[in-house]
């Protein structure tokens, strides 16, 4: 029981630090900020529970995961900007050079994502037993499905 409380405490501290880092990174509208904080809190709780992380494992795991997540978020933002650029100007109005630049950018982002994921798993293997690393794959898939489901439910409730 004491171990569980300790794990929850460590998770809460990690969540708080992650939220502070996220809040400092970019000013968001209040609703977006709260949603981001809720997702981060949910993520910490979900992965800590699914992976059954000990306090020491959580302490080693979360900084690695946060670094990996920063890369993914950075590329998601870059992709959004380039897609907005295409939508704003219209694909027909972009030169071949501009389009090739966008293609090269997307290729670079994909390569960097693969490198970040590879680095993340190599480092995680050093701090977690193999069984927990494999559990992460499953937990990551479950978490993403859960987020997509919640997002769909939110959209449906707004429509009604």
């Amino acid at each position: 029981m004491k171990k569980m409380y300790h794990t929850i405490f460590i998770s809460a501290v990690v969540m708080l630090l992650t939220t502070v880092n996220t809040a400092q990174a970019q000013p968001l509208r209040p609703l977006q900020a709260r949603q981001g904080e809720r997702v981060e809190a949910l993520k910490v709780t979900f992965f800590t529970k699914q992976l059954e992380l000990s306090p020491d494992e959580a302490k080693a795991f979360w900084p690695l995961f946060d670094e990996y997540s920063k890369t993914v978020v950075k590329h998601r933002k870059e992709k959004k900007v380039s897609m907005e650029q295409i939508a704003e100007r219209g694909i027909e109005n972009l030169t071949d050079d501009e389009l090739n630049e966008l293609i090269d950018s997307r290729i670079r982002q994909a390569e960097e994502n693969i490198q970040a994921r590879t680095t993340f798993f190599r480092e995680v293997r050093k701090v977690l037993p193999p069984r927990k690393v494999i559990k992460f794959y499953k937990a990551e898939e479950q978490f993403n499905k859960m987020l997509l489901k919640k997002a769909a439910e939110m959209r449906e409730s707004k429509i009604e």
Side-chain angles (χ1 to χ4, degrees), residues 91-151:
I91 196 167
E92 284 22 340
N93 297 322
L94 294 171
T95 67
D96 284 351
D97 286 342
E98 290 171 319
L99 292 170
N100 279 319
E101 189 178 310
L102 288 169
I103 293 167
D104 290 342
S105 173
R106 294 293 295 276
I107 291 169
R108 179 189 50 76
Q109 291 167 5
E111 290 171 342
E112 288 177 9
N113 275 339
I114 290 169
Q115 183 58 49
R117 191 161 177 85
T118 301
T119 300
F120 168 70
F121 278 105
R122 284 189 176 137
E123 294 302 313
V124 165
R125 287 176 75 180
K126 295 176 185 176
V127 298
L128 295 181
R131 189 168 321 281
K132 290 186 180 185
V133 175
I134 294 299
K135 281 183 176 184
F136 175 81
Y137 285 108
K138 183 177 178 182
E140 183 180 38
E141 188 176 299
Q142 290 172 334
F143 184 76
N144 290 333
K145 283 181 183 177
M146 182 177 65
L147 283 183
L148 288 173
K149 183 178 177 184
K150 286 185 183 286

Side-chain angles (χ1 to χ4, degrees), residues 10-21:
I10 293 290
S11 298
V13 169
V14 170
M15 177 184 62
L16 178 64
L17 292 174
T18 303
T19 303
V20 169
N21 283 344

